[in-house]
Amino acid sequence: QRILCFPRSFEYSQKNAVLVPVAALAVGGILIYWLRSRHKVKTIEMGDGWWGSGERPLKEKEDESIRPFKIETSDKEIEDLHRRLEQARYAQPLEGAVFDYGFNSNYLQKVVAYWRNQFDWRKQVEVLNKYPHFKTTIEGIDIHFIHVKPSYIPHGQAVKPLLMVHGWPGSFYEFYKIIPLLTEPARHGLNEGDVVFEVICPSIPGYGFSEAPHQKGFDSIATARIFHKLMNRLGFKEYYLQGGDWGSRITTNMAQMLPQAVKVLHLNLIFFGGGNFRSILSVMFGAYVPWLVGFTREDVRRMYPFIQKNFYQILQESGYLHIQATKPDTAGCGLNDSPVGLAAYILEKFSTWTDKSFRHKENGGLESKYTLDELLTNVMIYWVTASIVSSMRYYKENISKDPSLTSDARVGVHVPTGIAAFPQEIVHVPPVWAKQVFRNIITYSYMPRGGHFAAFEEPRLLAEDIIHFVRKVEKL
C-alpha cells in the first residue's frame, strides 16, 4: 500500500510545488494593485463636446488651423455708442449714499461724459492689437487668444509656455500690464532671465472675442478641456497655468483633468466649498487657539470677526451671483442694450472687489488704482462683442448644480501649486484649508496689498510671485 500511495503523494507534491507559487504570485499581485490604486491620482475624465449651432457634423473634420485675428472698429459702431450715451437716463442717488447702494449715478454721469467726449476707442483698439491675436475652432466654436513670445531669449534658456485665464467681469485685457514682466523679466528688473515665459491668454467662450456656446451646459470642465486642446494645438505637451476668478476654477480643472500635462498651477483665488466638520471646528477655535487648528496670525487677521467678514461682506457682494446663476438672460437683456447700464454693472465690481473700503468713496475709488481708459476698454470689449449675456450664463452653468455631485468635487490637485493670497480678495482661504484640495502646495504667499483683479491692479507683485514659485519648483 505504501508503494501504491507513493506515486500519488509525489503527484500531489508536484501540484503543490506549482500551485503554491502561483497562489503567492496572485496574492502578491492583488496586494501590489491595491497599494498602487491607493496612491493612484484620481482625475476628471476629459470626454468631448460640441458647442456649435445645431447638431455636430458626423463626417466633416473640424478646421484646426490657427488664424491671425485683428480687432477692428468702425465709424458706425462709434456713432451708435455715442447716440446711446447721449440718450441715457439717470436715477437720483440718495444723499450721502456714495457707493453703498451700488454705482453712484452722480459719478456715473462723469464717467459717461468722459466716455462720450474724451475716450478714444480707436486708440485703445491699437493698444489691444499691440499683441498678436489669433482664433481657432474647437468643439464647434471659435476660440480667441493672444500669444506673446519674448523678443529676446537668453542663450540656453528654455521658454516656458504659460496659459493665463481671466474671469468675470474681466477679459484677456487684464493681463496686458503683466505680460511684459513675464516675457521679458530681466528688462524689468525681476530676475536674471532664468525664468522666461511665452504667454497665452484665451478669452473664455462667451466672453469678448471668443464665440459663445450655442448649447446648454458649457461649464468650467468643458472650458478646461477646450483649453487643453488649444495648448496641444499650439504644439505644447507640457505647460504652466495661472488663473484668478473663473480662471482659477478652469485652470484647477485642467490640473485635475490632465495632471501629466500641467507642470505647475498658480492661483490668486481659491474655490473652496468648506462646510466639512474639520473646517467648522477650525472656525470655532481659530480666533482663540489658531495654532491648534493650523491658522497663522495673518489668517486670523483676515478672517475675523468671522460673521462680519465671511457672511455680511459676502452677502453685500454676491447679489449679482444669484441673478446670474438663475436668470442671467433677464438682467442681461437690459445690459446688452444700454452701454451706461453695462458700465455701471461692470465697473461697480472693479470698485468694491479691488478694495472693500471703496464702497465709502464718492467715486468708488476707481481712479485710485486704474485709469478710466483702462476701465472703459474692458467695458468696450463686452459692448462691441455683445457678450455680457453669454458671460453671465457661465454662472448658471457652473453654480446651478449640486457642487458635491460635480465630477471635480472629490478630485484633489496633485501638481505643484503656488497660491498668492491678496488681502482685499472677497474671501480668504487659509493654507490649512487649501491643502484639503491642493495636495502639493509649494508656495503660499500673503500678498502685502491688492484685491480680486491682481494682474490688472498689482501686475508686478503677481509677476514676482509667479516667478518665485516657478523658480522654486524648478529647483526641486
Side-chain angles (χ1 to χ4, degrees), residues 168-190:
W168 187 91
S171 64
F172 64 92
Y173 178 60
E174 286 181 69
F175 301 114
Y176 268 50
K177 289 184 278 187
I178 198 174
I179 285 172
L181 307 181
L182 297 170
T183 56
E184 299 177 314
R187 180 178 290 184
H188 295 88
L190 287 177

Side-chain angles (χ1 to χ4, degrees), residues 167-420:
W168 187 91
S171 64
F172 64 92
Y173 178 60
E174 286 181 69
F175 301 114
Y176 268 50
K177 289 184 278 187
I178 198 174
I179 285 172
L181 307 181
L182 297 170
T183 56
E184 299 177 314
R187 180 178 290 184
H188 295 88
L190 287 177
N191 64 22
E192 300 303 318
D194 59 324
V195 178
V196 179
F197 299 97
E198 58 180 294
V199 179
I200 301 95
C201 300
S203 295
I204 298 170
Y207 288 69
F209 298 98
S210 278
E211 186 178 355
H214 297 267
Q215 312 294 331
K216 294 189 294 183
F218 187 84
D219 58 11
S220 63
I221 293 174
T223 314
R225 181 179 62 246
I226 282 178
F227 287 171
H228 272 306
K229 290 181 178 181
L230 171 64
M231 295 304 279
N232 290 334
R233 195 169 290 184
L234 291 172
F236 302 117
K237 292 184 178 178
E238 292 183 322
Y239 28 91
Y240 299 65
L241 305 178
Q242 201 286 326
D245 196 86
W246 281 125
S248 169
R249 174 80 169 264
I250 293 163
T251 53
T252 296
N253 288 163
M254 290 178 75
Q256 293 169 312
M257 187 177 286
L258 288 178
Q260 68 273 20
V262 178
K263 292 279 287 182
V264 303
L265 172 66
H266 186 279
L267 307 172
N268 56 277
L269 177 143
I270 301 170
F271 280 81
F272 178 75
N276 58 44
F277 185 66
R278 188 171 156 194
S279 302
I280 293 169
L281 276 180
S282 60
V283 168
M284 291 170 62
F285 295 103
Y288 308 102
V289 281
W291 52 269
L292 187 64
V293 296
F295 287 174
T296 66
R297 289 183 180 179
E298 185 62 18
D299 292 329
V300 173
R301 192 181 72 81
R302 294 187 183 193
M303 292 174 67
Y304 294 91
F306 191 82
I307 296 297
Q308 180 185 338
K309 292 187 175 181
N310 295 272
F311 181 75
Y312 291 124
Q313 285 186 0
I314 293 173
L315 193 63
Q316 284 182 307
E317 293 300 327
S318 61
Y320 82 100
L321 186 148
H322 298 284
I323 293 170
Q324 295 177 190
T326 53
K327 303 290 180 64
D329 286 34
T330 304
C333 286
L335 301 177
N336 193 55
D337 186 60
S338 167
V340 175
L342 181 69
Y345 197 72
I346 288 178
L347 296 186
E348 185 255 316
K349 303 308 176 194
F350 281 88
S351 167
T352 51
W353 290 4
T354 296
D355 191 318
K356 302 172 190 75
S357 68
F358 286 175
R359 191 183 295 116
H360 308 301
K361 295 188 175 184
E362 288 185 11
N363 66 355
L366 281 168
E367 294 176 71
S368 61
K369 290 295 182 82
Y370 316 103
T371 68
L372 285 180
D373 280 345
E374 290 172 342
L375 293 168
L376 289 171
T377 297
N378 183 66
V379 173
M380 284 294 290
I381 290 170
Y382 281 85
W383 176 253
V384 300
T385 59
S387 59
I388 187 62
V389 176
S390 52
S391 74
M392 292 164 69
R393 287 175 186 157
Y394 204 63
Y395 283 76
K396 183 171 179 63
E397 304 295 11
N398 283 288
I399 299 177
S400 60
K401 309 162 190 172
D402 183 342
S404 65
L405 300 178
T406 58
S407 59
D408 60 337
R410 300 186 185 279
V411 177
V413 177
H414 296 269
V415 304
T417 303
I419 297 168

Side-chain angles (χ1 to χ4, degrees), residues 6-44:
F6 179 75
R8 291 180 181 176
S9 63
F10 180 72
E11 226 174 277
Y12 288 135
S13 64
Q14 275 190 319
K15 287 181 180 177
N16 289 338
V18 175
L19 290 172
V20 170
V22 168
L25 281 171
V27 172
I30 292 168
L31 183 62
I32 291 168
Y33 174 80
W34 179 73
L35 288 170
R36 289 186 67 182
S37 65
R38 284 186 68 200
H39 296 285
K40 187 179 178 182
V41 174
K42 289 183 180 178
T43 59
I44 300 172

